[in-house]
Amino acid sequence: MQKLPKKARPSKYYRAKDLKELFGLTNNTIIKYRDNGILPYTLLGGVYLYDAKAIDEMLEQSKSNTERRLNS
């Protein structure tokens, strides 16, 4: 099996800069969500890593809840 180039491989983790670019979050919001347990993270060598799969699942769940409320 051929290895994919680094850019083509899906990332398992987001960094804060990714969350800011992808979702428009500010540093303060990221810290607040992390501190309040809303945003799951791993601290590795002083770098906060945010589990991409968990965040994607949270977004999907939020989408489903919104759709249910709109259809009620």
Side-chain angles (χ1 to χ4, degrees), residues 4-44:
L4 295 173
K6 186 175 181 178
K7 287 287 184 186
R9 284 183 274 158
S11 177
K12 287 181 68 172
Y13 295 97
Y14 294 128
R15 291 179 143 200
K17 68 177 186 154
D18 301 319
L19 298 178
K20 290 189 279 186
E21 290 174 11
L22 292 169
F23 307 113
L25 299 176
T26 65
N27 282 330
N28 288 339
T29 299
I30 293 169
I31 292 167
K32 181 174 77 172
Y33 286 178
R34 185 178 66 220
D35 291 347
N36 290 326
I38 297 169
L39 198 56
Y41 69 92
T42 299
L43 184 60
L44 183 63

Side-chain angles (χ1 to χ4, degrees), residues 47-61:
V47 176
Y48 288 96
L49 300 172
Y50 305 93
D51 187 306
K53 183 177 178 181
I55 292 171
D56 292 343
E57 288 171 0
M58 286 177 10
L59 291 171
E60 188 62 35
Q61 182 179 5

